[in-house]
Amino acid sequence: MLRLIRTQGQQHLRPFARLTTASFQRSLQNGQRHHRQYQSRFPALRNFASSSKTNQASASPPPPPPPPKPTKSRLFRVGRAIILTGVGVPVVGSLAWVIYDTLFETHGDILHQKRPRHVVGGPKNLVMTHGCKGSVLKAEEIHQNDTRQRLVILGSGWGAVSVISQLDPKKFHVTVVSPTNYFLFTPLLPSATVGTLELRSLIEPVRRLLSRLGGYYLEGRADDIDFENQLVEVAGINGSDGRKFYVPYDKLVIAVGSESMTHGVEGLEHCNFLKSITDARDIRKKVMENFEMASLPTTTDEERRQLLSFVICGGGPTGVEFAAELYDFLNEDLVGYFPAIPPEEVQVNIIQSAGHILNTYDLKISEMTEAKFKRDNINVVTNSRVVKVNPTSVVYKDKSTGKQEEVPFGVCLWSTGVGMTPLVKSLVQKLPAGSQQNKHAIETDRYMRVIGTPEGTVYAIGDCATIPQPHFVDQVMQYLQENDTNGDNLLSYEEFQVLANKIIAKHNVLKVFLGRLDKVFEQYDKDHSGTLDLDEIRAFLIDAEKGCTALPATAQVANQQGKFVGKRINTLHAIENDPVAVAALPQFNYKHLGSLAYIGGGDAALDMGQGRVYGGIGSEYMWRSVYFSEQVSIRTRLLLLVDWSKRALFGRDISKF
Ligand code: FAD
Ligand code: MG
C-alpha cells in the first residue's frame, strides 16, 4: 500500500523530479569545482576532504602528501592578537593621554569650577558644597573664575519652580535644596486619591527643570540658616542618616511651603492629610482597602457603615474636591465593580467651621456647591468645629447650640488650613526682635525680602511668606482730604470710586474683597444719604484693612511671587550697585485671576472675581483646560491626556497597592 502511494506520488512528481535531478547534477559539478579551488587555497582543509572521501576511495586518485600541521601558526596568530590588544591598547592610550595632558594642561581651579569641591568650615565646621566668600572660609579661589552669583532655593514646589522658570543661566549658579526631588502639581492631587489621575502624572523631576540652568539639586531638608555668614545648614534625608552640610549663598529664596494646621485638636494621628504624593497614595490605598473589606461576607453591618463613611474636616477647596472625586468614583465605578455594596451605604460628610463651604470664594459659588452636594447626598455640616478625633469616629460641636455629635469614619481627611513648617517657626524666632510679628508665616516687605535679614539677600515666597497689613485707618483724614474734590467733607460715589481704585492699585488683593464698588458704597452708606461721612469712610477702611490680610495660601500666589522674585534678581544682577535704579524697581502686586474648584458630576465652580461666577455645562472642561495649560512640561500634559482618556474609556484603576 505504502509502495503504491509512493510510486503514484513519484509518477505524479516526475517532471519536477527530472528537473531537480538535472539541477542537482549541475550544482554538484559546480560544488566540485569550487571545492577544488578551495582546497588549493586552504591546504589545511585537504585532510578533512580526503577523509570524507574514503568511502569513494576506490574511485578516487591517491591522496596527496599530508600538509604541515596548522596548530603552530594558529596559536601564533592568537597569541599575537592577545599581545597586541593587551599591551598595544594601553600603550597607545597612555601615549594619547600624555599628549593630551601636555597640550591641554588642566589646573585645579578649572576643575573646581566644573565640579563643586567639598571643603569643611563655617561656625559648626561642617562640609560645604562649594566655595564660601567672606571671613568664614578663605576659599574664594574656588569660586573666583565664576562670576555668577550663588542662588540657593529652598523647596521644589510652586514658588521655587516659578523662580527657576525666570532665571538667566549666565547670571546664577543655582542650587535647589528640597526633601522632594520633584515638583508636585497640587491642584490636581485630589483627583489622584481615587485613581482618576495617576500619581506620576502630577510630578516633574526638579533636576529636569534645573537642566536649562545647569543647576544643582541637593536632596535634604534645610534645618537652619546662618544669615550673617550666608550659609544654609542642610540635613540629608533617606540613606544619609541626617548628616549635615552647609550650602553657601549670595542670594537665598525660602519657598518651603506650609504644614497642615492642627488647631490643637486631639487624635489627628487617626486622620489622613492631603499635602504630598505619599498622602494621596495612602488615601487611595485606604479607600480601596475599605471598599474591599466592606465587600467581604464576614464584615458586620456596623463595620460596613463605619468603613464606608468618609469624613472631611474642612470645607475649603481641597476638602470639597476630595468629596467631589469620591462622589464621581461612587457613581461611575462603584456600581460596576463592587456589586456587593449598594451606593446608598456610602456616606460622605464635610464638617466646616465657617458658615459656608468654599468660604473664600464668591457666596454664589458656595451656595451653588452646597445645593449640588445636597442633591448628591453629601452631608455638609457648617458652623461646627471638630473637637476630637477617635480611632474610628470624629466628635464635633455645633458652634451655635454647643451640642456635640459623633460620626463614625473609615477614612477621615484633615484639611483645615495651613501653618508654619518647623524651619519657618525657628527662623521667625531667630530674626531680630520686633522684625517678625506674624504667627503664621515669615513677614516680607513688598519686594518679598525677609524683614530683619541683611538687605537684598534673603527672599521668602509662597505659603511660608506673608506681607504685613497696611494701616489705612491711620490715614483716614488724609484719604478724605485728598479725594474730596468739592470740599464738603463727604465722599460722593464718584469720589469714593477714585479712592477705592487708588487703594486697589496699591493692594491688588482688595480687588477680590471689594468686588463691585457700587455695592460696597451702598453697604457703607449706612444712612443712605448718597455720600460717605468720616465715620462711614473709617468703617470702610477698617474692613479694607482686614481684607488686605495675608494673601491666600494658593499656588496662584506662590507662582506670581516666584516669577516676581526671579525677574527681580535677574534685573538686580546688572544694577545692584546703583541704589537709584534699585529703588525704582516695582513692588509685588498680586493679580487675582480667579478661583477654581471641581465639585463632581462634571461640574466645576469658577470664580472669576467681582461677582462673576460660572458653573454647570462645560465648566469641567474649562477647569481641565486651565490646569492643562498651567502644567510645567509637555511630558505631564501628555500624561494627563492619557489619564483622562483612560478613565473615559476604561474607568478608574481600582487596584490597591
Ligand atoms: P509648596 O508647593 O508646598 O512647596 C514647598 C516645597 O518645600 C516642597 O517641595 C517641600 O518638599 C519643600 N520643603 C519643605 N520643607 C523644607 C525644608 N526644610 N527645606 C527645604 N525644602 C523644604 N492652590 C491653588 O491655587 N489652586 C488649587 O486648586 C489648589 N489646590 C490644592 C490642593 C491640595 C491638595 C493642596 C495640598 C494644595 C492646593 N493648593 C491650591 C495650594 C497650593 O498647593 C499651595 O499654595 C502652593 O503649593 C504653595 O507653594 P509653595 O511653593 O509655597 O509651597
Ligand atoms: Mg464730597
Side-chain angles (χ1 to χ4, degrees):
M1 176 72 173
L2 246 167
R3 205 184 309 144
L4 184 72
I5 293 169
R6 199 184 300 145
T7 324
Q8 280 175 350
Q10 278 169 353
Q11 277 175 354
H12 196 70
L13 290 171
R14 196 160 289 155
F16 178 72
R18 221 181 296 138
L19 196 99
T20 35
T21 318
S23 58
F24 176 71
Q25 279 169 351
R26 244 192 337 268
S27 64
L28 196 67
Q29 283 160 6
N30 282 344
Q32 280 167 351
R33 202 174 59 243
H34 284 136
H35 184 67
R36 275 196 299 277
Q37 285 171 0
Y38 200 66
Q39 275 189 338
S40 65
R41 284 174 61 195
F42 300 99
L45 288 175
R46 278 186 206 144
N47 264 357
F48 171 73
S50 58
S51 69
S52 67
K53 282 182 185 168
T54 43
N55 291 345
Q56 310 158 18
S58 53
S60 310
K69 283 193 172 180
T71 2
K72 215 171 188 177
S73 67
R74 200 188 292 166
L75 263 178
F76 173 74
R77 272 198 296 252
V78 171
R80 194 174 53 184
I82 290 174
I83 291 168
L84 271 179
T85 338
V87 180
V89 169
V91 167
V92 173
S94 312
L95 214 67
W97 179 255
V98 170
I99 295 168
Y100 173 84
D101 225 22
T102 323
L103 291 179
F104 310 99
E105 198 178 349
T106 49
H107 295 288
D109 49 355
I110 294 175
L111 282 176
H112 292 143
Q113 266 189 324
K114 289 184 177 167
R115 205 171 152 273
R117 196 175 72 168
H118 296 161
V119 286
V120 175
K124 294 190 184 171
N125 215 30
L126 297 176
V127 169
M128 281 192 201
T129 49
H130 48 89
C132 168
K133 284 180 184 166
S135 58
V136 178
L137 187 83
K138 300 283 180 212
E140 294 98 305
E141 77 279 7
I142 293 172
H143 201 62
Q144 68 187 5
N145 294 327
D146 197 344
T147 53
R148 297 177 303 166
Q149 285 191 338
R150 287 161 306 176
L151 172 67
V152 176
I153 303 173
L154 307 183
S156 53
W158 275 98
V161 165
S162 308
V163 176
I164 292 170
S165 73
Q166 301 298 312
L167 294 175
D168 180 344
K170 290 190 214 88
K171 295 178 180 167
F172 300 100
H173 176 291
V174 184
T175 306
V176 169
V177 176
S178 176
T180 43
N181 78 346
Y182 51 79
F183 161 76
L184 170 63
F185 195 90
T186 46
L188 286 174
L189 201 54
S191 301
T193 53
V194 289
T196 312
L197 294 177
E198 292 304 329
L199 295 166
R200 288 223 166 253
S201 311
L202 307 181
I203 59 177
E204 183 67 14
V206 71
R207 285 182 186 275
R208 207 193 290 252
L209 297 170
L210 275 170
S211 62
R212 182 183 66 85
L213 302 172
Y216 291 90
Y217 166 71
L218 297 167
E219 191 180 64
R221 193 176 289 280
D223 259 7
D224 196 8
I225 299 167
D226 182 339
F227 293 113
E228 200 186 318
N229 294 309
Q230 301 185 202
L231 296 169
V232 180
E233 189 180 319
V234 181
I237 55 165
N238 298 331
S240 71
D241 315 325
R243 270 174 284 178
K244 294 196 175 182
F245 55 92
Y246 281 136
V247 185
Y249 65 85
D250 296 314
K251 286 212 157 44
L252 174 70
V253 179
I254 307 172
V256 295
S258 53
E259 280 196 349
S260 296
M261 184 95 94
T262 60
H263 301 284
V265 173
E266 231 183 279
L268 292 195
E269 64 275 16
H270 308 301
C271 295
N272 280 84
F273 297 87
L274 187 51
K275 291 248 1 133
S276 66
I277 205 94
T278 335
D279 293 340
R281 190 172 42 216
D282 290 349
I283 293 177
R284 183 170 170 178
K285 189 164 171 254
K286 209 163 171 185
V287 169
M288 296 310 162
E289 244 166 37
N290 284 14
F291 277 104
E292 293 299 353
M293 205 172 151
S295 310
L296 295 180
T298 45
T299 307
T300 64
D301 284 353
E302 197 187 333
E303 281 169 343
R304 227 164 52 173
R305 253 197 312 281
Q306 179 244 316
L307 287 168
L308 299 178
S309 168
F310 298 88
V311 175
I312 299 156
C313 307
T318 303
V320 164
E321 287 191 343
F322 177 58
E325 289 288 344
L326 268 176
Y327 170 80
D328 280 2
F329 169 67
L330 303 180
N331 276 281
E332 292 163 16
D333 297 282
L334 179 83
V335 183
Y337 296 119
F338 292 89
I341 302 176
E344 58 277 10
E345 284 201 357
V346 184
Q347 182 68 55
V348 182
N349 309 280
I350 301 179
I351 303 171
Q352 160 78 328
S353 66
H356 290 279
I357 53 173
L358 292 181
N359 61 323
T360 53
Y361 288 48
D362 193 287
L363 184 63
K364 276 185 234 161
I365 293 261
S366 305
E367 286 171 351
M368 185 177 88
T369 310
E370 280 164 8
K372 175 162 192 313
F373 279 3
K374 198 170 181 183
R375 289 196 300 276
D376 297 344
N377 273 330
I378 295 174
N379 179 30
V380 178
V381 182
T382 52
N383 273 317
S384 298
R385 190 171 279 278
V386 173
V387 286
K388 194 177 174 199
V389 182
N390 296 317
T392 55
S393 70
V394 168
V395 182
Y396 66 89
K397 189 166 140 185
D398 188 312
K399 287 205 296 198
S400 47
T401 62
K403 210 173 130 208
Q404 288 204 354
E405 300 271 352
E406 190 166 349
V407 50
F409 70 78
V411 177
C412 175
L413 175 72
W414 186 263
S415 161
T416 61
V418 294
M420 288 200 244
T421 63
L423 173 72
V424 172
K425 269 184 209 156
S426 75
L427 293 181
V428 165
Q429 277 167 9
K430 84 183 267 188
L431 281 166
S435 62
Q436 296 284 323
Q437 314 275 340
N438 198 287
K439 301 239 173 342
H440 304 292
I442 305 175
E443 282 187 340
T444 69
D445 61 12
R446 300 201 69 79
Y447 301 97
M448 306 315 300
R449 296 175 300 194
V450 175
I451 301 172
T453 55
E455 203 180 306
T457 52
V458 186
Y459 293 83
I461 52 173
D463 283 7
C464 70
T466 187
I467 302 169
Q469 297 173 33
H471 296 286
F472 297 135
V473 189
D474 301 349
Q475 305 159 47
V476 60
M477 276 312 290
Q478 192 189 332
Y479 279 129
L480 176 61
Q481 282 159 9
E482 272 176 16
N483 298 287
D484 178 18
T485 44
N486 61 1
D488 61 356
N489 278 332
L490 299 166
L491 290 188
S492 66
Y493 175 59
E494 288 71 28
E495 290 166 341
F496 169 76
Q497 260 183 318
V498 177
L499 163 68
N501 284 329
K502 270 188 209 162
I503 294 180
I504 289 172
K506 266 196 173 170
H507 307 280
N508 218 289
V509 63
L510 280 177
K511 210 172 187 168
V512 191
F513 165 75
L514 292 178
R516 284 178 51 185
L517 288 182
D518 53 345
K519 292 258 165 69
V520 178
F521 186 81
E522 262 175 48
Q523 185 190 337
Y524 291 97
D525 183 14
K526 294 269 185 301
D527 55 4
H528 306 292
S529 62
T531 52
L532 299 185
D533 61 22
L534 192 65
D535 284 342
E536 287 166 345
I537 300 168
R538 188 177 285 117
F540 162 71
L541 291 176
I542 288 172
D543 287 352
E545 237 176 61
K546 283 186 199 148
C548 240
T549 48
L551 290 172
T554 61
Q556 204 182 133
V557 172
N559 179 33
Q560 288 186 24
Q561 290 179 340
K563 285 187 175 154
F564 168 82
V565 169
K567 279 185 193 143
R568 183 182 157 85
I569 55 179
N570 260 348
T571 319
L572 271 179
H573 195 268
I575 58 164
E576 207 139 27
N577 298 325
D578 179 355
V580 181
V582 173
L585 288 180
Q587 296 184 337
F588 172 69
N589 225 338
Y590 173 62
K591 289 181 188 61
H592 185 66
L593 303 173
S595 311
L596 311 175
Y598 181 63
I599 56 175
D603 270 358
L606 314 175
D607 175 358
M608 270 82 95
Q610 300 199 326
R612 289 174 301 146
V613 299
Y614 187 74
I617 301 165
S619 55
E620 184 193 2
Y621 293 95
M622 281 172 78
W623 173 79
R624 283 193 198 185
S625 29
V626 170
Y627 287 150
F628 186 76
S629 65
E630 287 298 312
Q631 293 298 310
V632 292
S633 75
I634 297 173
R635 193 188 69 92
T636 50
R637 279 196 188 106
L638 262 175
L639 291 175
L640 274 188
L641 280 183
V642 169
D643 285 359
W644 280 327
S645 323
K646 224 166 57 178
R647 196 208 89 184
L649 290 172
F650 312 110
R652 288 170 183 77
D653 182 354
I654 49 162
S655 38
K656 184 195 89 183
F657 59 92

